[in-house]
Amino acid sequence: MFLLVAGLLLPTAAAADTYSFDVHSKFVNIAFESRMEIEDIFGTTHSIKGWLKLDSKGQYQFKLQVPVESLRTGIAMRDEHLRSKMWLWAERHPDLTFEGNSVRKVGKNRYLVQGQLGLRGIKKTVKVTLTVRHIQRSAASRLGLGNEEWARLRGSFAVRLSDFGIKIPKMAAAKVNNQWTVKVSLFAKRVD
């Protein structure tokens, strides 16, 4: 889930920049939802690790990881089911991943990021449009973010569970949608 990296394509970025998503949990908001006639499921995590690198040729690479164990839906038993072999299989695949190197500017402060989303050991290409706000060092200091440059990324995308080998059991078919919406609001800080 997860998702979210391209926004660091900053017009002011210099060659060989690296940004880290390993920041305090208050700067990480990833929400996921399933809406059905019988039941809506809303979940969240505030845990992510990862990086985005810009090399001297202007090429980007990124890798993000979200621990399955950190996903919460508000109901402990449902969270256990989510981590089970039937759903995300956390024991064998402890992280959701998003990695790649395709980032393209599509508007003012908007970027299209394409990468491989990994769930349950299966990887599929996912495209995410992100809105990015660059926070200069001086502004970051005034906002209490420390003496680093930051980027704020926001976006959303859809994930189809069946694309990742997840079969919704008949008893849950009226409660769990095959297509989930993932919304991200993340900060990343420059580390070099």
Side-chain angles (χ1 to χ4, degrees):
M1 293 200 115
F2 330 93
L3 14 126
L4 346 178
V5 76
L8 296 180
L9 263 190
L10 306 170
T12 59
D17 286 346
T18 301
Y19 282 80
S20 173
F21 289 91
D22 299 351
V23 297
H24 192 283
S25 62
K26 70 181 177 180
F27 298 120
V28 177
N29 289 294
I30 301 171
F32 51 97
E33 62 184 53
S34 161
R35 293 184 179 261
M36 291 294 284
E37 288 296 319
I38 302 290
E39 185 174 342
D40 292 335
I41 300 170
F42 300 97
T44 190
T45 183
H46 302 286
S47 182
I48 192 169
K49 291 183 179 187
W51 48 264
L52 175 127
K53 294 179 183 178
L54 170 63
D55 67 22
S56 60
K57 296 178 182 177
Q59 299 296 309
Y60 286 85
Q61 291 183 324
F62 56 88
K63 183 172 183 177
L64 300 169
Q65 296 174 283
V66 173
V68 173
E69 191 66 36
S70 72
L71 303 177
R72 298 289 181 264
T73 65
I75 299 174
M77 183 178 287
R78 185 166 53 202
D79 295 346
E80 285 179 38
H81 291 162
L82 186 64
R83 293 187 290 269
S84 74
K85 182 178 180 179
M86 182 180 292
W87 296 97
L88 296 179
W89 205 353
E91 184 178 341
R92 183 172 282 181
H93 310 284
D95 294 313
L96 306 171
T97 60
F98 185 57
E99 57 188 305
N101 59 10
S102 176
V103 180
R104 182 171 53 94
K105 188 168 186 169
V106 294
K108 184 178 180 181
N109 300 324
R110 292 176 51 88
Y111 298 86
L112 178 63
V113 180
Q114 180 174 304
Q116 295 292 306
L117 178 64
L119 275 96
R120 228 175 161 263
I122 298 171
K123 292 185 178 182
K124 296 287 183 178
T125 299
V126 171
K127 295 179 182 179
V128 182
T129 300
L130 296 173
T131 301
V132 181
R133 178 175 175 236
H134 187 212
I135 304 169
Q136 297 288 342
R137 201 177 292 260
S138 58
S141 182
R142 286 193 310 274
L143 294 169
L145 296 172
N147 195 28
E148 293 93 13
E149 290 182 29
W150 290 75
R152 171 89 187 260
L153 306 109
R154 289 183 174 146
S156 65
F157 61 98
V159 175
R160 289 172 27 116
L161 299 180
S162 58
D163 289 346
F164 296 91
I166 299 171
K167 296 177 184 168
I168 299 170
K170 287 182 182 179
M171 66 183 188
K175 298 179 181 181
V176 180
N177 197 326
N178 184 46
Q179 183 163 303
W180 288 60
T181 300
V182 179
K183 298 177 183 178
V184 298
S185 175
L186 304 172
F187 283 84
K189 66 180 175 179
R190 188 172 170 183
V191 294
D192 63 336

